[in-house]
Structure formats: structure tokens, C-alpha cells
Amino acid sequence: MKKNKFITKLLLSCLTLSAGLLLSDHAFATSTEATTQDNLIHDYSKKLAQLKQTKQTFSEQKLENKNQLSSIEKKIQKIQIDLDQLEKIESIGEISETEDYNNDKASILSVQLPSIKMKDDSVTEKKEQLEGLKQKQVSLTLATKSISKQVSETVEQETQLSEKIAQVSKQKTEQAKQTDIRSAIVAAAKTHLGKPYVYGAAGPDAFDCSGLVQVAFASAGRSIGRTTVDQETAGATISVAEAQAGDLVFWGNHGGTYHVGISTGDGSYIHAPVPGDVVQVATVASYAPDFAVNIL
């Protein structure tokens, strides 16, 4: 009974963890900005530690069951040997023994074994013991099979969680790289603030709008086209409100853009506006772009 309760608790524990994994899948797919990658990694790692502990508990119980089964098997073998011996004695029944022959006439003594009744009781007792051990053997075998299944499922869940942790960690690394690149693009553009706008110029002392973009990207190790039309096809179109630092903002229609700037990610952008003006920071509210492009 105790073992059944123990196994039931373990099964419930696994079901709880499985439900947690399903919830984690949902969170992974719909995580909000408030749920950071660090939080995901922490949650997954915590669940992974729980799974490892559960697997260890299962493994220990499985080993204990195997030891008990081995002990039961030895007891069954011993009782079976005893039963075989007792049944042989029972089958003899009455032992006849010839002792003396007087005057060519044999005197046959019939000796009734005094312990036969006791041995009958022993046979019954040992058969009951054997039946009890066999029932326990069946119960333990089923429990061990159930635990083995749970161990396999736990290992599979561990693998899934480990893959999730690796995936999120990889995304975190990639995002960090992108953040560095985005910051580098914006920082490069800012080094040219105050330099004059000159049509067709791409530095180092003067720029037009697309020339500023090309030079800023090159400084961050990224290659991009020279004209606004080339640059608008360098990534996926997004709304201006979605633009992050390093994304590009455009004026005009697709295929016919006439101006470009570099988003700073806070509702502002850096651009080289028009002849007679200089490279500067402007806000979306003061001069609104028509669309943006995510280039990373």
C-alpha cells in the first residue's frame, strides 16, 4: 500500500511537470516584453532541475524494487525446494522395514512416521508463503515497469527542456549581437552630426541621406545599397511605430522613396535632410516617415 501511494505521488508529480511544460510552450510562443529571455531560461532551468530530481527518485525506487524482486526470487526458489522435499516425503506414506528372519519366517515391522501430520501442516504453510511471494512479485514487477515508463518520459521531457534552454540561449546571444550592431549603427551615425548635406556625398565630411546610411552601416560591419530604393529592399517592411534602433525609416512609396533616416528606437531618427542643412536628430512627430524597414 505504501509503495502504491509512493508511485501515485510520483505520477502526480510528473503530470504536474508535464502541465508546466505545456504552459511553458505557450509562454514561449506568446511571451511578452515583460517576460525576458533570462526569465525563460531561469524557469526552464528550474523545471529541468525538478525533472532531474524526479528521475533520480524514480531510479532509486526502481533499484529498490529490483533488489526486492531478487530477494523474493531467492525465497521462492528456497520454498519451492522445501515443498518438493516435503511432497516426496508425503508420497512415501508408510515405510516398511524388514528386520529379522526367525525360522525362515520374516517378521515385517511397519513403522508409521510420527511427523507426517506436522509435515502436512508445513506444506500448507509453505504453499501460502509461496502464493504470497508470487503476488508480491507480480505487484513489484508491474510497479517497476510503470516506473521505467515514467523514467523514459522524464528523460524525454528533460531533452525537450534542454533544447528549449539552448534555443532561448541562442536567441539571447543573437539578440545581443543585433543589439550591439544596432547600437553601433546609431553611434556611427551620431559621429557625423552637424556635417553638411551634399547631394551624392557619402562622407567623410559631407553626406546625403542614403550616403549617411551606407557609411553608418559600413562602420558597424554591415553592407547596404547606396540609394534609398536599394536600401528599402534590404529588410522586412514594418510600421514606423515598430522601428527599433538601427532600423531605417523612409519617405515616399515603395520603389519610389526619396528620403531615408536611421531610427534611434525612441520615436526619433538621424538623417541628412536637405541641401543647406546638416546631419541631425529629428522626431517622428516633426517630420513623419511613411514606413520603416527592419534590416537586422
Side-chain angles (χ1 to χ4, degrees):
M1 181 64 71
K2 289 183 178 179
K3 288 186 174 60
N4 290 336
K5 288 182 179 179
F6 174 80
I7 293 170
T8 300
K9 289 180 180 179
L10 287 176
L11 291 175
L12 290 173
S13 174
C14 273
L15 289 174
T16 302
L17 285 169
S18 296
L21 288 176
L22 292 175
L23 292 174
S24 296
D25 287 337
H26 179 71
F28 185 77
T30 61
S31 58
T32 62
E33 292 181 2
T35 306
T36 65
Q37 289 163 328
D38 284 337
N39 288 336
L40 285 174
I41 292 173
H42 173 76
D43 292 342
Y44 290 153
S45 298
K46 184 177 180 181
K47 288 183 175 65
L48 184 60
Q50 291 173 344
L51 283 174
K52 288 183 181 297
Q53 181 59 46
T54 300
K55 185 179 72 172
Q56 178 64 28
T57 302
F58 278 140
S59 298
E60 290 173 356
Q61 182 60 36
K62 183 179 178 181
L63 179 61
E64 181 182 342
N65 285 3
K66 285 187 174 181
N67 290 336
Q68 289 185 39
L69 282 169
S70 177
S71 176
I72 288 173
E73 181 64 28
K74 291 177 180 178
K75 289 179 181 178
I76 288 175
Q77 290 176 356
K78 184 178 184 304
I79 291 176
Q80 192 62 60
I81 291 172
D82 291 344
L83 278 173
D84 290 343
Q85 292 176 345
L86 288 173
E87 287 174 354
K88 284 180 181 179
I89 294 174
E90 271 191 328
S91 67
I92 293 174
E94 186 179 274
I95 299 177
S96 296
E97 180 181 333
T98 302
E99 288 189 346
D100 298 317
Y101 289 90
N102 295 316
N103 300 320
D104 297 328
K105 184 178 179 181
S107 176
I108 302 175
L109 299 177
S110 295
V111 181
Q112 193 75 24
L113 294 177
S115 60
I116 288 295
K117 175 101 175 39
M118 180 184 67
K119 290 186 181 296
D120 284 341
D121 293 340
S122 297
V123 169
T124 301
E125 181 183 348
K126 287 188 179 295
K127 283 183 177 180
E128 290 176 353
Q129 290 177 357
L130 185 62
E131 183 62 26
L133 286 172
K134 286 183 176 180
Q135 289 179 0
K136 189 173 182 181
Q137 185 182 46
V138 171
S139 177
L140 276 173
T141 299
L142 291 175
T144 303
K145 287 182 179 179
S146 176
I147 291 173
S148 295
K149 182 180 178 182
Q150 291 299 318
V151 169
S152 297
E153 291 175 355
T154 303
V155 169
E156 183 178 352
Q157 291 174 357
E158 279 184 331
T159 300
Q160 292 174 355
L161 271 179
S162 295
E163 289 174 353
K164 288 179 184 295
I165 291 172
Q167 184 178 358
V168 176
S169 296
K170 181 179 179 181
Q171 289 180 345
K172 180 182 176 183
T173 300
E174 291 298 322
Q175 189 177 61
K177 290 179 180 178
Q178 288 187 3
T179 300
D180 291 342
I181 293 173
R182 290 177 180 279
S183 299
I185 291 171
V186 173
K190 285 183 176 180
T191 64
H192 301 299
L193 290 174
K195 293 182 180 179
Y197 176 98
V198 174
Y199 179 77
D205 300 319
F207 298 89
D208 64 9
C209 62
S210 58
L212 175 66
V213 169
Q214 186 180 50
V215 169
F217 271 67
S219 298
R222 298 296 296 268
S223 176
I224 196 169
R226 175 63 180 84
T227 68
T228 58
V229 175
D230 291 336
Q231 292 169 358
E232 71 178 67
T233 60
T237 300
I238 56 176
S239 67
V240 174
E242 294 176 297
Q244 301 177 55
D247 287 337
L248 300 180
V249 290
F250 291 90
W251 286 257
N253 298 320
H254 285 282
T257 50
Y258 57 86
H259 189 55
V260 63
I262 299 172
S263 174
T264 57
D266 57 359
S268 300
Y269 53 86
I270 302 170
H271 70 145
V274 292
D277 213 333
V278 297
V279 175
Q280 59 188 265
V281 177
T283 65
V284 170
S286 64
Y287 184 32
D290 294 302
F291 66 92
V293 167
N294 182 341
I295 45 71
L296 298 176

